[in-house]
mmCIF file of all heavy atoms in Angstrom:
data_model
loop_
_atom_site.group_PDB
_atom_site.id
_atom_site.type_symbol
_atom_site.label_atom_id
_atom_site.label_comp_id
_atom_site.label_asym_id
_atom_site.label_seq_id
_atom_site.Cartn_x
_atom_site.Cartn_y
_atom_site.Cartn_z
ATOM 1 N N GLY D 30 -11.695 7.069 -3.022
ATOM 2 C CA GLY D 30 -10.324 6.996 -2.475
ATOM 3 C C GLY D 30 -9.878 5.603 -2.170
ATOM 4 O O GLY D 30 -8.745 5.399 -1.725
ATOM 5 N N GLN D 31 -10.769 4.593 -2.347
ATOM 6 C CA GLN D 31 -10.413 3.210 -2.072
ATOM 7 C C GLN D 31 -10.655 2.345 -3.304
ATOM 8 O O GLN D 31 -11.433 2.721 -4.197
ATOM 9 C CB GLN D 31 -11.207 2.666 -0.895
ATOM 10 C CG GLN D 31 -10.900 3.380 0.411
ATOM 11 C CD GLN D 31 -11.578 2.714 1.581
ATOM 12 O OE1 GLN D 31 -12.151 1.662 1.480
ATOM 13 N NE2 GLN D 31 -11.491 3.381 2.725
ATOM 14 N N ASN D 32 -9.969 1.206 -3.366
ATOM 15 C CA ASN D 32 -10.102 0.285 -4.505
ATOM 16 C C ASN D 32 -10.534 -1.064 -4.009
ATOM 17 O O ASN D 32 -10.208 -1.494 -2.889
ATOM 18 C CB ASN D 32 -8.748 0.137 -5.225
ATOM 19 C CG ASN D 32 -8.301 1.406 -5.882
ATOM 20 O OD1 ASN D 32 -9.057 2.045 -6.581
ATOM 21 N ND2 ASN D 32 -7.065 1.806 -5.620
ATOM 22 N N ASN D 33 -11.260 -1.800 -4.875
ATOM 23 C CA ASN D 33 -11.685 -3.161 -4.573
ATOM 24 C C ASN D 33 -10.528 -4.109 -4.859
ATOM 25 O O ASN D 33 -10.196 -4.354 -6.002
ATOM 26 C CB ASN D 33 -12.911 -3.521 -5.448
ATOM 27 C CG ASN D 33 -13.441 -4.908 -5.180
ATOM 28 O OD1 ASN D 33 -12.763 -5.753 -4.638
ATOM 29 N ND2 ASN D 33 -14.657 -5.145 -5.604
ATOM 30 N N CYS D 34 -9.902 -4.610 -3.807
ATOM 31 C CA CYS D 34 -8.813 -5.564 -3.934
ATOM 32 C C CYS D 34 -9.302 -6.921 -3.446
ATOM 33 O O CYS D 34 -9.386 -7.143 -2.231
ATOM 34 C CB CYS D 34 -7.592 -5.106 -3.124
ATOM 35 S SG CYS D 34 -6.854 -3.570 -3.689
ATOM 36 N N SER D 35 -9.685 -7.765 -4.364
ATOM 37 C CA SER D 35 -10.195 -9.114 -4.045
ATOM 38 C C SER D 35 -11.345 -9.070 -3.067
ATOM 39 O O SER D 35 -11.423 -9.855 -2.121
ATOM 40 C CB SER D 35 -9.066 -9.999 -3.514
ATOM 41 O OG SER D 35 -8.041 -10.118 -4.445
ATOM 42 N N GLY D 36 -12.243 -8.128 -3.257
ATOM 43 C CA GLY D 36 -13.449 -8.070 -2.433
ATOM 44 C C GLY D 36 -13.342 -7.237 -1.173
ATOM 45 O O GLY D 36 -14.283 -7.169 -0.389
ATOM 46 N N MET D 37 -12.201 -6.628 -0.925
ATOM 47 C CA MET D 37 -12.014 -5.781 0.239
ATOM 48 C C MET D 37 -11.627 -4.373 -0.243
ATOM 49 O O MET D 37 -10.783 -4.237 -1.120
ATOM 50 C CB MET D 37 -10.909 -6.311 1.143
ATOM 51 C CG MET D 37 -11.222 -7.641 1.787
ATOM 52 S SD MET D 37 -12.541 -7.587 3.016
ATOM 53 C CE MET D 37 -11.746 -6.719 4.336
ATOM 54 N N CYS D 38 -12.234 -3.360 0.353
ATOM 55 C CA CYS D 38 -11.887 -1.972 -0.016
ATOM 56 C C CYS D 38 -10.575 -1.595 0.659
ATOM 57 O O CYS D 38 -10.437 -1.769 1.869
ATOM 58 C CB CYS D 38 -12.989 -1.024 0.417
ATOM 59 S SG CYS D 38 -14.516 -1.266 -0.513
ATOM 60 N N ARG D 39 -9.634 -1.152 -0.141
ATOM 61 C CA ARG D 39 -8.286 -0.803 0.374
ATOM 62 C C ARG D 39 -7.883 0.598 -0.106
ATOM 63 O O ARG D 39 -8.128 0.960 -1.268
ATOM 64 C CB ARG D 39 -7.251 -1.802 -0.107
ATOM 65 C CG ARG D 39 -7.527 -3.233 0.266
ATOM 66 C CD ARG D 39 -7.347 -3.425 1.733
ATOM 67 N NE ARG D 39 -7.508 -4.826 2.053
ATOM 68 C CZ ARG D 39 -7.511 -5.316 3.261
ATOM 69 N NH1 ARG D 39 -7.359 -4.491 4.287
ATOM 70 N NH2 ARG D 39 -7.674 -6.584 3.483
ATOM 71 N N ASP D 40 -7.202 1.341 0.759
ATOM 72 C CA ASP D 40 -6.636 2.632 0.383
ATOM 73 C C ASP D 40 -5.247 2.370 -0.166
ATOM 74 O O ASP D 40 -4.286 2.184 0.591
ATOM 75 C CB ASP D 40 -6.568 3.539 1.639
ATOM 76 C CG ASP D 40 -5.936 4.886 1.350
ATOM 77 O OD1 ASP D 40 -5.506 5.129 0.208
ATOM 78 O OD2 ASP D 40 -5.906 5.705 2.271
ATOM 79 N N THR D 41 -5.132 2.292 -1.472
ATOM 80 C CA THR D 41 -3.851 1.939 -2.104
ATOM 81 C C THR D 41 -2.803 3.064 -1.981
ATOM 82 O O THR D 41 -1.667 2.891 -2.394
ATOM 83 C CB THR D 41 -4.050 1.585 -3.598
ATOM 84 O OG1 THR D 41 -4.679 2.665 -4.255
ATOM 85 C CG2 THR D 41 -4.855 0.302 -3.755
ATOM 86 N N GLN D 42 -3.174 4.165 -1.367
ATOM 87 C CA GLN D 42 -2.220 5.238 -1.107
ATOM 88 C C GLN D 42 -1.501 5.031 0.242
ATOM 89 O O GLN D 42 -0.458 5.618 0.474
ATOM 90 C CB GLN D 42 -2.918 6.593 -1.090
ATOM 91 C CG GLN D 42 -3.500 6.992 -2.459
ATOM 92 C CD GLN D 42 -2.407 7.066 -3.521
ATOM 93 O OE1 GLN D 42 -1.528 7.906 -3.442
ATOM 94 N NE2 GLN D 42 -2.495 6.203 -4.506
ATOM 95 N N ALA D 43 -2.053 4.142 1.118
ATOM 96 C CA ALA D 43 -1.492 3.973 2.443
ATOM 97 C C ALA D 43 -1.416 2.512 2.911
ATOM 98 O O ALA D 43 -0.800 2.236 3.922
ATOM 99 C CB ALA D 43 -2.297 4.786 3.452
ATOM 100 N N ASP D 44 -2.007 1.557 2.205
ATOM 101 C CA ASP D 44 -2.079 0.146 2.633
ATOM 102 C C ASP D 44 -0.792 -0.576 2.211
ATOM 103 O O ASP D 44 -0.519 -0.707 1.014
ATOM 104 C CB ASP D 44 -3.301 -0.497 1.993
ATOM 105 C CG ASP D 44 -3.589 -1.876 2.539
ATOM 106 O OD1 ASP D 44 -2.634 -2.644 2.815
ATOM 107 O OD2 ASP D 44 -4.782 -2.200 2.686
ATOM 108 N N ARG D 45 -0.019 -1.067 3.196
ATOM 109 C CA ARG D 45 1.240 -1.734 2.898
ATOM 110 C C ARG D 45 1.058 -2.989 2.040
ATOM 111 O O ARG D 45 1.950 -3.353 1.286
ATOM 112 C CB ARG D 45 1.966 -2.152 4.201
ATOM 113 C CG ARG D 45 2.543 -0.968 4.944
ATOM 114 C CD ARG D 45 3.418 -1.411 6.113
ATOM 115 N NE ARG D 45 4.599 -2.122 5.615
ATOM 116 C CZ ARG D 45 4.887 -3.381 5.876
ATOM 117 N NH1 ARG D 45 4.113 -4.111 6.635
ATOM 118 N NH2 ARG D 45 5.985 -3.926 5.374
ATOM 119 N N ALA D 46 -0.097 -3.675 2.142
ATOM 120 C CA ALA D 46 -0.305 -4.895 1.372
ATOM 121 C C ALA D 46 -0.803 -4.600 -0.054
ATOM 122 O O ALA D 46 -0.759 -5.478 -0.919
ATOM 123 C CB ALA D 46 -1.332 -5.779 2.099
ATOM 124 N N HIS D 47 -1.232 -3.381 -0.285
ATOM 125 C CA HIS D 47 -1.793 -2.992 -1.582
ATOM 126 C C HIS D 47 -1.315 -1.572 -1.898
ATOM 127 O O HIS D 47 -2.128 -0.647 -2.030
ATOM 128 C CB HIS D 47 -3.315 -3.078 -1.585
ATOM 129 C CG HIS D 47 -3.816 -4.435 -1.199
ATOM 130 N ND1 HIS D 47 -3.855 -5.489 -2.093
ATOM 131 C CD2 HIS D 47 -4.266 -4.907 -0.017
ATOM 132 C CE1 HIS D 47 -4.346 -6.547 -1.467
ATOM 133 N NE2 HIS D 47 -4.579 -6.228 -0.224
ATOM 134 N N CYS D 48 -0.025 -1.341 -2.007
ATOM 135 C CA CYS D 48 0.544 -0.030 -2.140
ATOM 136 C C CYS D 48 0.639 0.394 -3.613
ATOM 137 O O CYS D 48 1.346 -0.208 -4.404
ATOM 138 C CB CYS D 48 1.917 0.023 -1.499
ATOM 139 S SG CYS D 48 2.603 1.686 -1.393
ATOM 140 N N GLY D 49 -0.154 1.407 -3.972
ATOM 141 C CA GLY D 49 -0.172 1.888 -5.332
ATOM 142 C C GLY D 49 -1.125 1.146 -6.250
ATOM 143 O O GLY D 49 -1.711 1.713 -7.140
ATOM 144 N N MET D 50 -1.309 -0.147 -5.972
ATOM 145 C CA MET D 50 -2.268 -0.989 -6.699
ATOM 146 C C MET D 50 -2.503 -2.257 -5.916
ATOM 147 O O MET D 50 -1.715 -2.632 -5.038
ATOM 148 C CB MET D 50 -1.761 -1.302 -8.111
ATOM 149 C CG MET D 50 -0.519 -2.132 -8.147
ATOM 150 S SD MET D 50 -0.009 -2.365 -9.837
ATOM 151 C CE MET D 50 1.469 -3.337 -9.603
ATOM 152 N N CYS D 51 -3.589 -2.927 -6.206
ATOM 153 C CA CYS D 51 -3.941 -4.155 -5.519
ATOM 154 C C CYS D 51 -2.830 -5.189 -5.652
ATOM 155 O O CYS D 51 -2.286 -5.403 -6.728
ATOM 156 C CB CYS D 51 -5.242 -4.733 -6.053
ATOM 157 S SG CYS D 51 -6.675 -3.678 -5.744
ATOM 158 N N GLY D 52 -2.480 -5.844 -4.527
ATOM 159 C CA GLY D 52 -1.507 -6.927 -4.533
ATOM 160 C C GLY D 52 -0.049 -6.494 -4.504
ATOM 161 O O GLY D 52 0.832 -7.337 -4.413
ATOM 162 N N ASN D 53 0.232 -5.208 -4.534
ATOM 163 C CA ASN D 53 1.616 -4.718 -4.496
ATOM 164 C C ASN D 53 1.997 -4.470 -3.041
ATOM 165 O O ASN D 53 1.743 -3.398 -2.500
ATOM 166 C CB ASN D 53 1.765 -3.432 -5.326
ATOM 167 C CG ASN D 53 3.196 -2.979 -5.406
ATOM 168 O OD1 ASN D 53 4.086 -3.778 -5.653
ATOM 169 N ND2 ASN D 53 3.412 -1.684 -5.193
ATOM 170 N N ALA D 54 2.629 -5.470 -2.419
ATOM 171 C CA ALA D 54 2.991 -5.372 -1.010
ATOM 172 C C ALA D 54 4.367 -4.758 -0.817
ATOM 173 O O ALA D 54 5.295 -5.027 -1.575
ATOM 174 C CB ALA D 54 2.979 -6.772 -0.376
ATOM 175 N N CYS D 55 4.467 -3.895 0.203
ATOM 176 C CA CYS D 55 5.764 -3.306 0.561
ATOM 177 C C CYS D 55 6.578 -4.353 1.300
ATOM 178 O O CYS D 55 6.048 -5.182 2.064
ATOM 179 C CB CYS D 55 5.555 -2.087 1.457
ATOM 180 S SG CYS D 55 4.705 -0.704 0.648
ATOM 181 N N ALA D 56 7.872 -4.275 1.158
ATOM 182 C CA ALA D 56 8.792 -5.194 1.843
ATOM 183 C C ALA D 56 8.864 -4.840 3.333
ATOM 184 O O ALA D 56 8.466 -3.745 3.752
ATOM 185 C CB ALA D 56 10.190 -5.090 1.222
ATOM 186 N N ALA D 57 9.399 -5.756 4.117
ATOM 187 C CA ALA D 57 9.594 -5.509 5.548
ATOM 188 C C ALA D 57 10.428 -4.258 5.718
ATOM 189 O O ALA D 57 11.390 -4.018 4.963
ATOM 190 C CB ALA D 57 10.283 -6.703 6.198
ATOM 191 N N GLY D 58 10.074 -3.421 6.686
ATOM 192 C CA GLY D 58 10.801 -2.204 6.947
ATOM 193 C C GLY D 58 10.390 -1.034 6.050
ATOM 194 O O GLY D 58 10.944 0.033 6.139
ATOM 195 N N GLN D 59 9.386 -1.252 5.198
ATOM 196 C CA GLN D 59 8.883 -0.199 4.345
ATOM 197 C C GLN D 59 7.467 0.183 4.750
ATOM 198 O O GLN D 59 6.765 -0.620 5.358
ATOM 199 C CB GLN D 59 8.879 -0.618 2.874
ATOM 200 C CG GLN D 59 10.240 -0.801 2.258
ATOM 201 C CD GLN D 59 10.142 -1.120 0.782
ATOM 202 O OE1 GLN D 59 9.212 -1.770 0.340
ATOM 203 N NE2 GLN D 59 11.135 -0.685 0.023
ATOM 204 N N THR D 60 7.075 1.380 4.403
ATOM 205 C CA THR D 60 5.736 1.854 4.627
ATOM 206 C C THR D 60 5.161 2.322 3.279
ATOM 207 O O THR D 60 5.924 2.556 2.336
ATOM 208 C CB THR D 60 5.704 2.990 5.659
ATOM 209 O OG1 THR D 60 4.360 3.331 5.973
ATOM 210 C CG2 THR D 60 6.446 4.206 5.176
ATOM 211 N N CYS D 61 3.867 2.436 3.198
ATOM 212 C CA CYS D 61 3.226 2.914 1.966
ATOM 213 C C CYS D 61 2.819 4.378 2.151
ATOM 214 O O CYS D 61 1.981 4.689 2.999
ATOM 215 C CB CYS D 61 2.010 2.067 1.618
ATOM 216 S SG CYS D 61 1.197 2.540 0.082
ATOM 217 N N THR D 62 3.421 5.241 1.397
ATOM 218 C CA THR D 62 3.140 6.680 1.471
ATOM 219 C C THR D 62 2.825 7.183 0.057
ATOM 220 O O THR D 62 3.624 7.021 -0.840
ATOM 221 C CB THR D 62 4.358 7.435 2.030
ATOM 222 O OG1 THR D 62 4.698 6.878 3.318
ATOM 223 C CG2 THR D 62 4.068 8.908 2.196
ATOM 224 N N ALA D 63 1.651 7.754 -0.094
ATOM 225 C CA ALA D 63 1.202 8.289 -1.388
ATOM 226 C C ALA D 63 1.314 7.258 -2.499
ATOM 227 O O ALA D 63 1.717 7.557 -3.628
ATOM 228 C CB ALA D 63 1.964 9.564 -1.744
ATOM 229 N N GLY D 64 1.009 5.980 -2.144
ATOM 230 C CA GLY D 64 1.039 4.915 -3.157
ATOM 231 C C GLY D 64 2.396 4.391 -3.533
ATOM 232 O O GLY D 64 2.538 3.657 -4.511
ATOM 233 N N ARG D 65 3.421 4.713 -2.729
ATOM 234 C CA ARG D 65 4.779 4.243 -2.983
ATOM 235 C C ARG D 65 5.373 3.620 -1.769
ATOM 236 O O ARG D 65 5.219 4.149 -0.649
ATOM 237 C CB ARG D 65 5.663 5.403 -3.451
ATOM 238 C CG ARG D 65 5.177 6.011 -4.764
ATOM 239 C CD ARG D 65 6.060 7.129 -5.221
ATOM 240 N NE ARG D 65 7.399 6.539 -5.522
ATOM 241 C CZ ARG D 65 8.478 7.258 -5.651
ATOM 242 N NH1 ARG D 65 8.437 8.553 -5.474
ATOM 243 N NH2 ARG D 65 9.614 6.685 -5.919
ATOM 244 N N CYS D 66 6.065 2.488 -1.931
ATOM 245 C CA CYS D 66 6.764 1.853 -0.813
ATOM 246 C C CYS D 66 8.045 2.640 -0.537
ATOM 247 O O CYS D 66 8.812 2.931 -1.459
ATOM 248 C CB CYS D 66 7.095 0.409 -1.149
ATOM 249 S SG CYS D 66 5.633 -0.640 -1.320
ATOM 250 N N GLU D 67 8.232 2.985 0.746
ATOM 251 C CA GLU D 67 9.410 3.748 1.132
ATOM 252 C C GLU D 67 10.018 3.142 2.374
ATOM 253 O O GLU D 67 9.320 2.565 3.219
ATOM 254 C CB GLU D 67 9.037 5.200 1.434
ATOM 255 C CG GLU D 67 8.468 5.933 0.230
ATOM 256 C CD GLU D 67 8.072 7.358 0.534
ATOM 257 O OE1 GLU D 67 8.012 7.734 1.719
ATOM 258 O OE2 GLU D 67 7.824 8.103 -0.427
ATOM 259 N N VAL D 68 11.334 3.263 2.494
ATOM 260 C CA VAL D 68 12.052 2.774 3.653
ATOM 261 C C VAL D 68 11.732 3.634 4.849
ATOM 262 O O VAL D 68 11.685 4.857 4.744
ATOM 263 C CB VAL D 68 13.596 2.771 3.384
ATOM 264 C CG1 VAL D 68 14.357 2.385 4.648
ATOM 265 C CG2 VAL D 68 13.931 1.838 2.233
ATOM 266 N N VAL D 69 11.493 2.968 5.988
ATOM 267 C CA VAL D 69 11.237 3.682 7.241
ATOM 268 C C VAL D 69 12.550 3.815 7.993
ATOM 269 O O VAL D 69 13.152 2.813 8.315
ATOM 270 C CB VAL D 69 10.201 2.930 8.105
ATOM 271 C CG1 VAL D 69 9.963 3.657 9.403
ATOM 272 C CG2 VAL D 69 8.907 2.761 7.326
ATOM 273 N N CYS D 70 12.973 5.037 8.260
ATOM 274 C CA CYS D 70 14.210 5.264 8.998
ATOM 275 C C CYS D 70 13.894 5.495 10.463
ATOM 276 O O CYS D 70 12.915 6.131 10.781
ATOM 277 C CB CYS D 70 14.960 6.460 8.423
ATOM 278 S SG CYS D 70 15.484 6.239 6.721
ATOM 279 N N GLY D 71 14.734 4.990 11.335
ATOM 280 C CA GLY D 71 14.555 5.179 12.766
ATOM 281 C C GLY D 71 14.961 6.587 13.173
ATOM 282 O O GLY D 71 15.667 7.289 12.482
#
């Protein structure tokens, strides 16, 4: 369930810095859900 992203194990389904794949960072105000960056609504 985790991937090797530059030597660190990351959950690409939930990690904002590695969303969906290594190095794919979500923008400010977004969260990583099921490997996709999504806008977080208040």
Side-chain angles (χ1 to χ4, degrees):
Q31 295 187 8
N32 295 311
N33 181 341
C34 295
S35 300
M37 295 291 290
C38 293
R39 302 290 184 184
D40 178 357
T41 57
Q42 295 299 296
D44 189 322
R45 288 189 66 242
H47 304 280
C48 189
M50 64 182 179
C51 295
N53 186 46
C55 295
Q59 291 184 327
T60 187
C61 182
T62 304
R65 297 182 65 196
C66 294
E67 298 179 347
V68 175
V69 178
C70 297

